[in-house]
Amino acid sequence: MAAGDGDRRLMRVQICAVGRLRKGPERDLYDDYLTRFDRTGRALALGPAQLIEVEDKKGGGMSAEAALLERAVPDGALICTMDERGKVMSSPDFAALLATWRDQGRQDVSCVIGGADGIDPALRDRADASLSFGKMVWPHMLVRVMLAEQLYRATSILSGGPYHRA
């Protein structure tokens, strides 16, 4: 079935993250890129994207955060952790990966971003995929922006748009 066919189901994307992204430049960038992703992705059967934020108000650490994150992930969703130990890939490879998941009939892909201490090992082990934005450690609030931008870039690549230039 070709992208854009009317009977194709959209592959929804959840960004499940620890903490709250407050108003400010990071939030503005995040919202802009997700709006672009939703607009461009629809014709490709990708999106919409949704941010699901969780907070461990009791201070239970990574295991408590993992439990909250797991509850945020829809039943049957593919889980992709954003983790410094994950696979580093190019933007075209990430776009191809999203297209593969879509073409496999995945209805939900949940990208999981841990808190300041990362993702609990048990949740990392349970994930279907794990991606990294490089060997450097990034603030988890910036990872949301970077992921949103890469989601939009992926739709631009898949649609042949001018945004991505290799």
Side-chain angles (χ1 to χ4, degrees):
M1 186 180 313
D5 283 357
D7 57 349
R8 173 180 253 179
R9 295 181 83 162
L10 295 175
M11 183 179 79
R12 297 175 298 250
V13 176
Q14 300 82 36
I15 298 175
C16 303
V18 173
R20 304 267 179 229
L21 186 57
R22 309 229 186 277
K23 288 185 180 183
E26 294 91 352
R27 183 65 193 226
D28 293 343
L29 279 170
Y30 176 84
D31 289 342
D32 181 50
Y33 285 125
L34 271 203
T35 298
R36 293 179 191 199
F37 169 76
D38 287 344
R39 194 176 327 126
T40 309
R42 186 162 305 279
L44 302 167
L46 295 170
Q50 173 188 19
L51 175 62
I52 304 170
E53 297 174 309
V54 302
E55 282 189 279
D56 174 26
K57 295 182 183 199
K58 297 179 182 176
M62 283 195 310
S63 63
E65 291 173 355
L68 293 168
L69 287 166
E70 286 181 326
R71 282 200 291 278
V73 172
D75 288 341
L78 182 143
I79 297 174
C80 178
T81 58
M82 304 306 300
D83 185 82
E84 65 191 62
R85 296 167 218 48
K87 181 177 182 174
V88 177
M89 60 176 38
S90 68
S91 296
D93 288 343
F94 178 63
L97 183 62
L98 283 177
T100 296
W101 290 339
R102 175 201 63 203
D103 296 346
Q104 289 172 344
R106 291 292 188 160
Q107 291 184 344
D108 290 288
V109 170
S110 294
C111 298
V112 175
I113 302 169
D117 295 323
I119 297 173
D120 186 75
L123 179 53
R124 272 199 325 261
D125 291 345
R126 197 179 137 230
D128 300 287
S130 184
L131 301 178
S132 171
F133 286 128
K135 293 182 184 234
M136 293 181 178
V137 176
W138 296 96
H140 59 280
M141 294 300 176
L142 274 183
V143 170
R144 296 172 196 212
V145 175
M146 294 162 65
L147 177 59
E149 192 279 337
Q150 286 299 302
L151 287 167
Y152 168 59
R153 185 174 296 272
T155 61
S156 179
I157 290 167
L158 293 171
S159 68
Y163 180 69
H164 178 75
R165 290 181 178 86

